[in-house]
Amino acid sequence: MDITLLRQFIAAAEEPDFVRAANLLGVTRQKLSAGIRTLEKQVGFALFDRDAPATTLTEAGTALLADARLELAASVANAKRTSPNTGGKAKASKGQGRAPAVKGQPRPGKKRQSR
C-alpha cells in the first residue's frame, strides 16, 4: 500500500472531520476523500461510515488503523536507517563561468577563434 494513502487514512481516522485532517496534511478535502476512496478500493472494504455525522470508522477501518500505524512506523524507521548520513557542508558545483551578458559576445577570458 502507498504510504501517502496510509498517512491520509490515519489523519482522517484521528481527526473529528475530514476538513481538519486535510488541513493537518496540507491537502484539500477533496484530495483526502479521493485518497480514502482509493485505499478503500485497494482493501475492498468501506473504512468509514459515510452516514454518521462525524468521522466514524467501520470494523474494517478499526482493524486497518492499527496495521497502518505499524506499517507507517516501520517505513519511517526504515527510511531513517537506509538514508545516508553524509554530514558536512554542502559544496557548490564548479561551473564553466558566467554566461555572456549579451548573446553573441565572447566569454570573458576566452579568445576568439581566428579565421
Side-chain angles (χ1 to χ4, degrees):
M1 281 185 245
D2 186 16
I3 297 299
T4 305
L5 294 177
L6 291 179
R7 190 173 286 131
Q8 289 177 352
F9 169 67
I10 291 170
E14 291 175 347
E15 292 297 320
D17 59 1
F18 275 36
V19 175
R20 286 188 188 176
N23 287 338
L24 180 72
L25 293 169
V27 297
T28 62
R29 186 193 55 78
Q30 291 84 4
K31 186 162 178 96
L32 178 64
S33 295
I36 298 297
R37 272 188 250 113
T38 303
L39 187 61
E40 286 177 337
K41 285 180 186 176
Q42 287 180 1
V43 174
F45 298 103
L47 301 174
F48 290 96
D49 183 10
R50 304 268 188 223
D51 298 329
T55 302
T56 307
L57 288 170
T58 61
E59 290 180 22
T62 305
L64 182 65
L65 181 60
D67 292 339
R69 284 181 177 150
L70 289 174
E71 191 170 335
L72 187 63
S75 70
V76 168
N78 189 23
K80 285 182 181 178
R81 187 171 22 118
T82 59
S83 65
N85 187 6
T86 57
K89 188 175 178 182
K91 297 179 181 137
S93 62
K94 294 183 180 179
Q96 298 297 322
R98 292 186 157 199
V102 178
K103 191 173 182 179
Q105 288 185 348
R107 289 186 182 174
K110 186 170 183 175
K111 295 181 180 179
R112 262 187 96 164
Q113 188 176 11
S114 62
R115 298 183 189 209

